């Protein structure tokens, strides 16, 4: 049995997430296009006030799931409830949901002001109320002076803010975002990520974000749902996903990881030992896992959790391996070392560049010893 | 490839000469005093005689007015029907009978006019026998016939324009609370307006110019301008036709040039605005 | 959770007076949006129905009528054909007069067979010439700089907006014995007496090519414009001379444009009426003229109908090819 993904709440930065208040419930939803299964029996619960990220590569079904929430596709089976109300047969214009499209979908023949007002006009609000709310929202997204411009007169970042304002001005209970930061350049992306979070906290709207970018997911989300081939493979906070992946897929998908295949030789309630030919040694993990002795398992160790030293440790029999530095990538804030160990496998190690001067740093072709703490490996059986 | 630059230039020169020399010669000879049209009567030309005669010619003026009316009605009807058909084919998903609709809207594009004309006349005759409408043939039957074949062109133009931009704009409008009808009028329609306008002009021209179908479905007393011209020129050249042709070419040329200038002005302004936006971003 | 009462419009309508009729009407497949606009079902069906009904009534049904009349006999009456179905009151029988005489007549009479063949020949040759004239022009326009391209296109389209009839008429003035071309050649001393250019096959070819040239150029241009020029650069890099590169790369890639343009010219050209009437021979007519003569001069509606059906049969395959091309173009645009 795999190590279960426990929702170890509280590990993420605090958000005003009302864990008691379930807001969106997706029950056994499947979507088929002909023979092709885009979404395979997905069940998910999303709480009020949280930012939930659907993370996955292209073709994993995350966008299809989002479109079903918005109402543009109907599930082949299963149901979707928003705030307790079954959304079956409810068209997109009658749902308390709004969507921010990947391409922004701003109406090119309307000014910023009219774009933002459009949704309110459909609600048949009095003109004065509409003008007030539009002006307020434009202030919040800092687009006040651009109200009379048309979309083609705006920059990419400005257009994104219009799309956001247009969706949020209707005060939806749920906002769906389709790759919201994809079209922005790196600097703008970072800045916008934090702006989005602030906005969400300020307005208290529940966000569901679809993205293929792990960094985006890790920064924005209070919880992440990793999707692969139409299924949800793991749900948890960013810490959960990163430090406690439930499968090799998730471990490999988020960040980088060193995976060592081995056999479980000792299985105790408080520790396990894994013999790994790939490693050329024994891995000692200081917690018990639910698996049978003799089973094939994988030990996943993150690069930043491996220590690299010229001299061997006190006890080199466990959690230690010798190798030769083959590649070094200098990233400025940290260095990535690719070390070839005796078994031939390449191990990836990252070290922060604590010292400015390069003299004492480990260099190419040096023989080094890699060690890690017994708490560092994650044992995976799938 | 610079080596075939001369070939390209030659192709364009010959091609455009071929296209325009006949028109230019027709215009030139409209100022010729001689009744033989192509034999230049140097002594008495150039002259505006034929233009003056044209404006006194009741038959031609009456036919022209009739043609304009029919063409305007046709264009409007064709645009309404063609836009709906184009919208249905481009935006509505599969429905039973879709293939047939698609076929029905593109067949008139290539169907020889004698077949369309004959079939419509037989329809009108049968209908008249059956239910008494349309009683006799005239403006109404011509208009119906013209709308039927002109709408095919409008459908193609609108459908092509709609296929060119994705439906995320319409989905966004639905998402914001607009019902499908409102989405069409507030979002789709303004965006395809250029296509609709050119569709209207296209339908107008096709109707204005049609000879064969009109001959089949017209009735006594409803002669369109092309029918009048055709019966005249079957017998040979006629200088007042040259004058008429010149006037029409001038009108069309003015229209095309003006619209091209207008579009270029629009594009330049758009480019300027986009450049300003990008500069402001920095 | 209890199912909410079905207050939707279709349900309300279907339980009304015209219920069964409404239900029948609604049985014909839902449009895409109806998956979530149940209550708007009748709305979008109505939208589809409007152009559909028009085309069925004014395009499809006429063909069926032509088909029906082609089996009937000519009569001196108004309308000039015998009714196919005759209800004999006292005998309570339905007499169906259905004969293939008209078709047999077409097949056996030399006039019709030779006219058909002649029409196809003229249309085919004209299409070929049109292609040979139009391809270089389309190519030149597609390879010119984007700024001037629109000017060229405008110049190509401009004649199309002027009257088709008048442009054909212009050629009468050019080709006749005392016309511009003959006068020029005589004046230059290149010929001694006027060449007989008008009322010949040659004049018809010129007329068709001239009138349909925009229909050939536009699809060709549309295709050529999309070509990736780096393919030609790659070919040159690999040692191919420009002519070879053109034959191996550009020409095959422009096939869809060639086919579309050719169909757009060939199909209507077969049934052309105006051009042969003004420019063509009087001893050998094209099928469009024959149909018209049968109808107006001979008042033989059944034979005219049979000619029309025969033309349709001849053209049905090219027409379907054309429609398949149209559909593919529109889908590629998405």
């Amino acid at each position: 049995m795999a190590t279960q993904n426990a929702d170890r709440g509280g590990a993420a930065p605090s958000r005003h997430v009302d864990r008691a208040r379930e807001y969106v419930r997706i029950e056994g939803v499947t979507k088929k296009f002909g023979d092709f299964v885009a979404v395979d029996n997905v069940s998910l619960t999303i709480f009020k006030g949280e930012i939930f990220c659907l993370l996955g590569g292209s073709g994993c079904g995350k966008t299809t799931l989002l479109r079903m929430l918005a109402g543009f596709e109907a599930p082949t089976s299963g149901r979707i409830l928003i705030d307790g109300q079954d959304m079956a047969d409810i068209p997109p214009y009658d749902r308390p949901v709004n969507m921010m499209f990947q391409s922004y979908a701003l109406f090119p023949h309307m000014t910023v002001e009219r774009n933002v007002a459009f949704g309110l006009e459909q609600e048949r609000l009095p003109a004065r109320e509409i003008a007030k709310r539009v002006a307020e929202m434009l202030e919040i997204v800092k687009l006040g002076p651009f109200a009379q411009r048309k979309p083609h007169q705006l920059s990419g970042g400005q257009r994104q803010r219009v799309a956001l304002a247009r969706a949020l001005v209707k005060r939806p209970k749920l906002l769906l975002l389709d790759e919201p930061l994809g079209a922005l350049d790196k600097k703008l992306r970072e800045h916008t990520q934090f702006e989005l979070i602030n906005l969400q906290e300020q307005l208290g709207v529940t966000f569901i974000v679809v993205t293929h970018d792990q960094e985006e997911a890790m920064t924005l989300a209070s919880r992440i749902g990793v999707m692969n081939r139409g299924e949800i493979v793991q749900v948890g906070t960013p810490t959960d996903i990163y430090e406690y992946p439930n499968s090799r897929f998730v471990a490999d998908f988020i960040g980088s990881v060193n995976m060592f295949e081995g056999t479980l030789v000792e299985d105790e309630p408080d520790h396990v030992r894994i013999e790994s030919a790939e490693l050329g040694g024994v891995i000692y993990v200081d917690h018990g896992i639910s698996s049978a002795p003799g089973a094939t398992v994988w030990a996943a160790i993150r690069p930043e959790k491996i220590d690299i030293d010229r001299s061997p440790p006190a006890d080199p029999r466990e959690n230690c391996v010798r190798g030769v530095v083959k590649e070094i990538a200098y990233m400025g804030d940290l260095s990535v070392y690719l070390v070839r160990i005796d078994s031939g496998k390449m191990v990836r190690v990252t070290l922060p560049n604590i010292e400015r001067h390069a003299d004492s740093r480990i260099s190419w072709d040096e023989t080094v010893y890699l060690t890690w703490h017994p708490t560092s490996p994650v044992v995976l059986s799938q | 490839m610079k080596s075939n630059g001369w070939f390209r230039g030659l192709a364009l020169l010959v091609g455009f000469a071929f296209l325009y020399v006949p028109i230019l010669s027709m215009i030139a000879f409209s100022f010729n005093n001689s009744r033989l049209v192509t034999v230049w009567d140097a002594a008495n030309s150039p002259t505006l005689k034929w233009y003056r005669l044209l404006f006194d010619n009741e038959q031609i003026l009456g036919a022209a007015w009739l043609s304009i009316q029919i063409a305007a009605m046709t264009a409007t009807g064709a645009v309404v029907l063609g836009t709906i058909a184009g919208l249905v084919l481009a935006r509505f998903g599969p429905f039973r009978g879709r293939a047939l609709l698609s076929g029905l809207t593109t067949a008139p594009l290539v169907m020889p006019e004698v077949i369309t004309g004959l079939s419509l006349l037989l329809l009108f005759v049968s209908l008249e026998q059956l239910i008494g409408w349309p009683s006799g043939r005239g403006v109404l039957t011509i208009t119906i016939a013209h709308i039927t074949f002109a709408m095919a062109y409008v459908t193609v133009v609108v459908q092509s324009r709609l296929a060119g931009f994705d439906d995320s704009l319409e989905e966004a409008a639905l998402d914001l609370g607009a019902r499908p009808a409102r989405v069409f009028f507030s979002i789709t329609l303004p965006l395809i307006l250029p296509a609709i306008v050119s569709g209207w002009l296209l339908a107008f021209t096709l109707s204005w110019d049609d000879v064969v179908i009109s001959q089949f479905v017209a009735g006594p007393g409803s002669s369109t301008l092309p029918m009048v011209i055709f019966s005249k020129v079957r017998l040979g050249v006629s200088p007042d036709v040259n004058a008429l042709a010149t006037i029409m070419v001038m009108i069309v040329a003015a229209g095309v040039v003006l619209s091209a200038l207008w579009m270029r002005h629009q594009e330049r302004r758009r480019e300027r605005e986009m450049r300003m936006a990008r500069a402001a971003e920095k | 959770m209890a199912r909410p009462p079905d207050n939707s419009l279709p349900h309300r309508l279907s339980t009304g007076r015209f219920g069964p009729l409404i239900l029948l009407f609604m049985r014909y497949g839902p449009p895409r949006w109806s998956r979530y606009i149940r209550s708007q079902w009748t709305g979008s069906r109505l939208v589809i129905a409007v152009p559909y009904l028009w085309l069925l009534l004014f395009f499809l049904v006429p063909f069926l009528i032509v088909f029906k009349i082609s089996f009937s006999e000519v009569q001196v009456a108004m309308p000039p054909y015998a009714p196919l179905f005759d209800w004999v009151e006292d005998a309570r029988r339905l007499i169906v007069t259905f004969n293939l005489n008209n078709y047999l007549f077409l097949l056996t009479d030399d006039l019709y067979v030779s006219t058909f063949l002649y029409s196809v020949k003229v249309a085919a040759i004209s299409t070929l010439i049109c292609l040979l004239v139009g391809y270089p022009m389309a190519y030149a326009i597609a390879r010119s700089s984007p700024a001037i391209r629109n000017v060229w296109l405008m110049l190509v389209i401009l004649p199309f907006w002027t009257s088709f009839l008048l442009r054909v008429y212009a050629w009468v003035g050019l080709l006749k014995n005392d016309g511009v071309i003959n006068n020029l050649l005589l004046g230059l001393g290149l010929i001694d007496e006027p060449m007989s250019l008008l009322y010949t096959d040659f004049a018809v070819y010129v007329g068709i090519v001239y009138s349909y040239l925009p229909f050939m150029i536009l699809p060709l241009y549309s295709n050529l414009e999309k070509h990736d020029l780096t393919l030609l650069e790659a070919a040159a890099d690999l040692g191919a001379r420009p002519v070879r590169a053109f034959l191996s790369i550009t020409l095959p890639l422009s096939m869809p444009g060639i086919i579309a343009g050719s169909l757009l010219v060939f199909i209507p050209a077969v049934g052309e009426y105006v051009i042969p009437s003004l420019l063509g021979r009087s001893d050998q007519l094209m099928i469009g003229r024959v149909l018209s003569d049968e109808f107006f001069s001979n008042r033989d509606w059944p034979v005219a109908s049979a000619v029309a059906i025969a033309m349709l049969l001849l053209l049905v395959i090219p027409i379907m090819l054309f429609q398949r091309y149209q559909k593919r173009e529109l889908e590629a645009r998405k």
Side-chain angles (χ1 to χ4, degrees), chain B residues 19-20 38 97 106 209 238 242, chain C residues 52 155 163-164 169 178 210 323:
Chain B
L19 273 179
Y20 281 94
T38 51
T106 48
D209 202 16
S238 170
N242 283 52
Chain C
Y52 214 167
L155 286 177
S163 169
F164 160 81
Y169 165 74
D178 56 348
Y210 186 72
Q323 293 188 331

Side-chain angles (χ1 to χ4, degrees), chain B residues 197-215:
Chain B
V197 169
S198 57
W200 196 94
L201 291 171
L202 189 58
F204 188 93
T205 309
L206 289 167
S207 162
W208 166 260
D209 202 16
D210 171 73
V211 178
V212 179
I213 297 185
S214 306
Q215 278 196 325

Side-chain angles (χ1 to χ4, degrees), chain A residues 174-211:
Chain A
L174 179 62
L175 183 66
L176 309 173
L177 297 97
D178 191 0
E179 311 265 6
L181 306 173
L184 305 175
D185 62 66
K186 187 156 199 289
K187 269 263 147 63
L188 199 53
R189 212 181 299 173
E190 280 176 18
H191 173 72
T192 314
Q193 269 168 357
F194 292 112
E195 266 194 16
L196 266 179
I197 297 175
N198 285 335
L199 203 56
Q200 191 264 350
E201 282 184 10
Q202 196 181 348
L203 296 173
V205 181
T206 308
F207 275 22
I208 299 182
V209 181
V210 150
T211 178

Side-chain angles (χ1 to χ4, degrees), chain B residues 1 3-4 7-8 11-12 15-16 18-23 25-26 29 36-39 81 84-85 87-88 90-98 100-116 118-127 129 133 137 144 147-148 151 153 156 159-160 163-164 167 170 174 179-180 183 198 201-202 205-206 208-209 211-212 215-216 226 229-230 233-234 236-239 241-242 244-245 248-249 252-253 256-257 260, chain C residues 27-33 36-37 40 44 47-48 50-52 54-63 65-66 69 78-79 81 133 136-137 139-141 143-144 150 152-156 158-167 169-174 176 178-180 183 199 206 209-210 213-215 217 232-233 236 242 245 263-264 267-268 270-274 277-278 288-289 291-292 295-296 301 304-305 308 311-312 315 319 322-323 326-327 330 333-334:
Chain B
M1 307 248 181
S3 59
N4 56 11
F7 171 76
R8 296 204 316 256
L12 284 177
F16 282 119
F18 176 62
L19 273 179
Y20 281 94
V21 161
I23 298 179
S25 104
M26 212 171 39
F29 284 111
L36 295 172
V37 180
T38 51
V39 179
L81 290 171
I84 298 177
L87 179 73
V88 166
R91 286 282 184 263
F92 284 34
F95 56 89
R96 217 184 305 189
R98 179 181 222 270
L100 182 61
L101 182 64
S102 179
L104 285 177
T105 49
T106 48
L109 288 175
V110 286
M111 190 66 64
E113 296 191 310
V114 286
I115 299 183
T116 326
L118 174 71
S119 59
L120 274 166
L121 175 56
L122 292 178
L123 172 77
F124 290 137
V125 165
S126 308
L127 275 181
Q129 272 197 303
W133 175 89
R137 285 164 291 291
I144 293 178
I147 290 179
T148 306
M151 72 181 271
Y153 290 83
V156 168
Q159 196 181 350
S160 156
D167 47 7
E170 287 149 336
L174 280 175
R179 293 193 141 54
V183 172
S198 57
L201 291 171
L202 189 58
T205 309
L206 289 167
W208 166 260
D209 202 16
V211 178
V212 179
Q215 278 196 325
F216 274 97
I229 297 179
F230 185 66
V233 301
R234 282 186 99 149
V237 287
S238 170
V241 174
N242 283 52
L244 185 61
M248 285 174 65
V249 170
V252 168
V256 169
V257 168
Chain C
R27 212 159 29 103
Y28 293 96
R32 171 177 80 183
W33 285 356
Y36 47 72
I37 339 173
Q40 305 279 328
S44 24
V47 167
I48 296 178
V50 171
Y52 214 167
W54 181 284
L55 284 172
L56 280 178
L57 179 60
F58 293 114
F59 193 71
L60 191 60
V61 166
F63 284 122
I65 296 181
V66 172
I69 289 179
M78 186 59 209
Y81 58 88
V133 173
M137 285 182 76
Y139 185 84
I141 298 177
R143 295 280 179 269
S144 52
N150 285 328
W152 293 141
L153 283 175
M154 191 190 79
L155 286 177
V156 164
L158 204 154
F160 167 75
W161 291 102
T162 63
S163 169
F164 160 81
L165 178 59
L166 291 172
R167 284 183 295 133
Y169 165 74
W171 279 100
V172 176
L174 286 178
K176 65 193 184 87
D178 56 348
V180 177
N183 286 348
Y199 309 126
V206 169
V209 169
Y210 186 72
L213 198 58
F215 289 103
I217 291 182
L232 293 172
E233 288 175 359
L263 288 173
L264 261 178
I267 300 174
V270 168
E272 252 297 329
Y273 173 82
V274 172
S277 299
L278 293 183
R289 174 73 181 274
L291 192 157
S292 183
F295 192 82
F296 288 113
W301 292 21
S305 303
M311 266 176 85
L312 262 182
L315 294 173
I319 290 178
F322 173 73
Q323 293 188 331
Q326 269 289 97
K327 207 172 110 183
L330 283 166
R333 199 78 67 93
K334 285 196 181 136

Side-chain angles (χ1 to χ4, degrees), chain C residues 3-323:
Chain C
R3 204 188 158 84
D6 194 347
N7 219 7
S8 64
L9 189 58
H11 189 255
R12 289 207 314 254
L13 279 179
S14 65
T15 49
R17 197 139 59 95
F18 293 107
L21 199 63
I22 304 273
L23 284 170
L24 198 73
F25 178 62
M26 292 201 311
R27 212 159 29 103
Y28 293 96
R32 171 177 80 183
W33 285 356
S34 87
R35 250 184 260 135
Y36 47 72
I37 339 173
R38 298 289 151 95
S39 63
Q40 305 279 328
W41 251 1
T42 47
S44 24
R45 290 275 181 61
L46 263 173
V47 167
I48 296 178
V50 171
Y52 214 167
L53 286 176
W54 181 284
L55 284 172
L56 280 178
L57 179 60
F58 293 114
F59 193 71
L60 191 60
V61 166
F63 284 122
L64 298 175
I65 296 181
V66 172
F67 190 65
K68 166 190 158 219
I69 289 179
S70 69
F71 292 114
S72 143
E73 271 174 12
V74 66
Q75 256 186 6
V76 181
M78 186 59 209
Y81 58 88
L84 277 186
F85 303 107
D86 226 343
W87 183 248
V88 179
E89 194 57 54
D90 32 349
R92 294 270 218 80
R93 271 184 303 131
L94 187 68
I95 305 181
V96 180
T97 330
F98 179 87
N99 59 63
L100 293 169
N101 283 352
N102 301 317
Y103 289 100
L104 289 173
F105 177 50
L106 289 184
L107 284 173
T108 52
D109 189 330
D110 277 343
L111 172 73
Y112 293 97
V113 176
S114 70
T115 306
F116 268 110
L117 291 175
Y118 176 69
S119 303
V120 172
K121 173 187 125 188
V122 167
I125 295 180
S126 308
T127 304
L128 188 62
I129 301 176
C130 203
L131 182 61
L132 291 172
V133 173
Y135 196 99
M137 285 182 76
Y139 185 84
I141 298 177
R143 295 280 179 269
S144 52
S145 71
I148 206 165
R149 219 180 278 177
N150 285 328
V151 177
W152 293 141
L153 283 175
M154 191 190 79
L155 286 177
V156 164
I157 299 195
L158 204 154
F160 167 75
W161 291 102
T162 63
S163 169
F164 160 81
L165 178 59
L166 291 172
R167 284 183 295 133
V168 175
Y169 165 74
W171 279 100
V172 176
L174 286 178
L175 293 174
K176 65 193 184 87
N177 284 350
D178 56 348
V180 177
I181 291 183
N182 274 318
N183 286 348
L184 194 65
L185 293 177
L186 280 170
L188 287 176
L190 289 168
I191 53 175
D192 289 326
E193 46 174 59
M195 292 198 293
S196 186
L197 296 168
L198 195 55
Y199 309 126
T200 60
D201 284 350
F202 169 74
V204 177
Y205 297 151
V206 169
I208 293 181
V209 169
Y210 186 72
S211 311
Y212 286 89
L213 198 58
F215 289 103
M216 176 63 80
I217 291 182
L218 289 178
L220 279 175
Y221 165 78
S222 163
N223 174 294
L224 286 168
E225 189 238 346
K226 296 197 190 88
H227 283 198
D228 182 0
L229 292 178
T230 59
L231 291 177
L232 293 172
E233 288 175 359
D237 180 68
L238 291 166
R241 312 190 83 82
V243 175
R244 170 110 239 120
F246 173 78
L247 290 173
S248 316
I249 298 178
T250 309
L251 196 59
L253 281 178
S254 58
M255 253 322 154
I258 293 180
I259 295 177
S262 305
L263 288 173
L264 261 178
V265 173
F266 177 79
I267 300 174
V270 168
E272 252 297 329
Y273 173 82
V274 172
I275 296 176
S277 299
L278 293 183
L279 300 173
R281 286 154 64 175
S282 40
D283 58 325
Q284 171 68 282
L285 301 177
M286 283 180 70
I287 197 68
R289 174 73 181 274
V290 164
L291 192 157
S292 183
D293 284 349
E294 282 300 337
F295 192 82
F296 288 113
S297 311
N298 291 357
R299 304 220 84 221
D300 193 341
W301 292 21
V303 169
S305 303
V307 171
I309 298 293
M311 266 176 85
L312 262 182
L313 286 175
L314 189 69
L315 294 173
V316 77
I317 294 176
I319 290 178
M320 286 175 71
L321 272 175
F322 173 73
Q323 293 188 331

